[in-house]
Amino acid sequence: MLMAGFICTGQSNIGISPSGYLTSLPPEIPSLVSPSDLATDQPVAMELTWQSQIHTAYFSLEVSTESDFSSLIVDLSSLADTTYSLSGLENNATYYWRVSATNVAGTSELSTARGFTTIVALPE
């Protein structure tokens, strides 16, 4: 079986990553990098960044307008990169985001959520 660049052997949770590493553990929880928690005056088009985890095949990202993530505006999996360009945000609005990492052995817990507020629009 082949899963996102990993070769699985039988029914075990042992896999070989594309770089040749043997792994039987899910990746660690990703560390969010930017924007910082509770950042203000953020642009309405911005880049979310998190730290890569060893033995990760892909990442999943959630962005919400609610701190309990009951209203997702982004719900993506299979992200190979550690950045995501977010656009179309509302002015003077608060958003929350979190990330998990997945490999052949499983998926990490979701990162601790971070919140940020976009810039207040200037009158025209």
Side-chain angles (χ1 to χ4, degrees), residues 30-35 47-54 56-61 78-85 97 99-101:
S31 299
L32 305 184
V33 176
S34 178
E47 194 165 87
L48 302 176
T49 307
W50 55 94
Q51 186 175 355
S52 180
Q53 299 299 317
I54 192 165
T56 296
Y58 61 88
F59 298 94
S60 296
L61 168 67
S78 301
L79 294 171
D81 204 355
T82 57
T83 60
Y84 180 76
S85 294
W97 66 293
V99 177
S100 65

Side-chain angles (χ1 to χ4, degrees), residues 1 22 29 46 64 66 77-78 80 93 99 101 104-105 112 118 122:
M1 175 192 329
L22 193 62
I29 299 169
M46 62 187 306
S64 178
E66 303 294 330
S77 60
S78 301
V99 177
V104 69
T112 300
T118 55
L122 299 175

